[in-house]
Amino acid sequence: MLSAKRLIVAAVLACALVSTAMPTVVLAQDATEIPPLPRPRPDRDATPADTAAPAAPTPASEAASALARTPQPVTLSAQISQNGQPIPDGLIWRVFEAMPDSTGEMPLVAKSDQGTARLDLPPGEYVVHVAYGRAQLSEPLTVAPGNNEKMIDLEAGALRLNSAVTGDIPIPATQLKFDIFTAGTEANRVLIAEGLPPNDIVTLNAGTYHIVSHFGSINAVVRADLRVEAGELTDATLFHHASEVSFKLVSEAGGEAIADVEWTVMSANGETVFTDRGAFPSTVLAEGDYSVLAKQGEQVYNREVEIVPGGSREIEVLTSVYQGG
């Protein structure tokens, strides 16, 4: 029979062998959700961050705050095109706050009509708008402490318009006017200038424009697309296929005009294009076929005429059947 000491040694060895023979077991922890860590206990004596007492102002902070509110010198100038000469006059400057107000509008803070605008503005962000004739441009403006200077390149050109009748027949200036639209389809065009007289110089941003020339007030209209180049004057003459005509009712060819006559001129499709009352009315008509009716009292006299491009023309309507060309 083994002694107690030997039994104890044998039991220890057996346990060691069993431990050596067993495979190593690793517990998978990746899929196990780790409980949230406990929050640190709040310090009951601490002052919340959003209610902390503000730091006492220092002379340096007060000076910086005053500087941020003090208007600073701002100099604004513009040139026709890049590397061009500054525009000396004819400019309209407007400066707006960059941020809209409660109504959605940007408040106007300064305005000047000087070629070189010299303003005083508090430091901040603004939008500066400059207009030169019908050329205009808006750009952001940052005002910082110290002297602020900004030069704007308008990239503008000029346009001078005139018209004549085909064959280089001049048209009296009083009979001409021009409208200028942006380019594009008719539905998308925007009117820029209306009723301009001939030979006026109009300043525009560089680009393509749709021009409408009106000769008289009836139907003599010519349209064209014109390109304006930056820093250049574009001269353009549009040609009309029309004629200035006058009417008179006579009892014989070359006779005196009969007074108190009601006149109606109708186009070939039956549209009334001109009405007047008098002895010797005149108008401008585009080329084409027309019916001229003259009513005197209860009598109505008429004549079919063809308008061809050319100078002024007199049309007689006889009180008898008209004979001759």
Side-chain angles (χ1 to χ4, degrees):
M1 196 174 167
L2 296 175
S3 65
K5 185 177 181 180
R6 289 183 177 179
L7 288 174
I8 293 172
V9 171
V12 170
L13 289 175
C15 290
L17 290 174
V18 170
S19 301
T20 305
M22 289 181 63
T24 302
V25 177
V26 179
L27 299 179
Q29 298 289 338
D30 294 344
T32 303
E33 182 177 357
I34 299 175
L37 297 176
R39 295 183 179 180
R41 297 181 63 183
D43 184 354
R44 299 180 181 274
D45 299 326
T47 302
D50 56 351
T51 60
T58 65
S61 64
E62 288 181 343
S65 177
L67 182 61
R69 297 190 303 270
T70 302
Q72 303 297 308
V74 179
T75 302
L76 303 173
S77 54
Q79 54 193 15
I80 285 288
S81 58
Q82 191 174 14
N83 301 322
Q85 293 296 319
I87 301 171
D89 51 36
L91 296 171
I92 302 295
W93 297 93
R94 292 180 176 87
V95 180
F96 300 87
E97 292 279 4
M99 295 299 295
D101 59 17
S102 59
T103 66
E105 300 290 332
M106 292 189 298
L108 176 68
V109 296
K111 182 179 178 181
S112 174
D113 58 1
Q114 301 298 314
T116 299
R118 291 179 173 85
L119 309 170
D120 292 317
L121 297 170
E125 299 299 323
Y126 301 89
V127 174
V128 58
H129 177 274
V130 59
Y132 182 47
R134 287 176 171 81
Q136 54 186 323
L137 188 66
S138 295
E139 288 192 356
L141 170 66
T142 299
V143 176
N147 291 322
N148 297 265
E149 296 185 0
K150 186 175 184 64
M151 171 69 78
I152 293 181
D153 297 329
L154 268 173
E155 292 300 308
L159 181 62
R160 182 163 54 195
L161 299 169
N162 204 351
S163 290
V165 174
T166 299
D168 286 334
I169 299 173
I171 298 174
T174 55
Q175 294 275 33
L176 279 175
K177 62 180 180 180
F178 297 89
D179 300 332
I180 301 177
F181 295 83
T182 56
T185 61
E186 185 172 358
N188 295 324
R189 292 178 192 141
V190 177
L191 179 65
I192 295 176
E194 184 177 18
L196 296 175
N199 296 316
D200 266 18
I201 295 178
V202 184
T203 305
L204 299 164
N205 293 101
T208 301
Y209 296 89
H210 185 75
I211 311 300
V212 182
S213 173
H214 301 269
F215 176 20
S217 59
I218 305 299
N219 59 358
V221 178
V222 176
R223 299 173 179 268
D225 288 336
L226 299 176
R227 174 77 185 176
V228 174
E229 300 293 345
E232 297 182 9
L233 171 63
T234 300
D235 268 309
T237 299
L238 283 66
F239 289 92
H240 283 269
H241 297 270
S243 178
E244 186 175 6
V245 295
S246 57
F247 307 99
K248 66 176 183 177
L249 180 66
V250 295
S251 57
E252 59 181 3
E256 292 293 326
I258 298 173
D260 197 26
V261 178
E262 296 181 29
W263 295 91
T264 301
V265 179
M266 303 174 65
S267 64
N269 60 9
E271 178 187 2
T272 298
V273 296
F274 175 74
T275 60
D276 202 354
R277 187 186 187 99
F280 203 69
S282 63
T283 190
V284 176
L285 295 174
E287 66 177 342
D289 295 324
Y290 297 88
S291 297
V292 180
L293 287 77
K295 181 179 180 183
Q296 203 260 337
E298 297 299 322
Q299 298 294 320
V300 178
Y301 310 96
N302 68 286
R303 177 183 174 182
E304 303 297 319
V305 296
E306 180 185 3
I307 302 299
V308 295
S312 299
R313 177 185 176 188
E314 183 180 275
I315 296 175
E316 293 181 343
V317 177
L318 293 174
T319 55
S320 58
V321 177
Y322 186 81
Q323 297 180 358

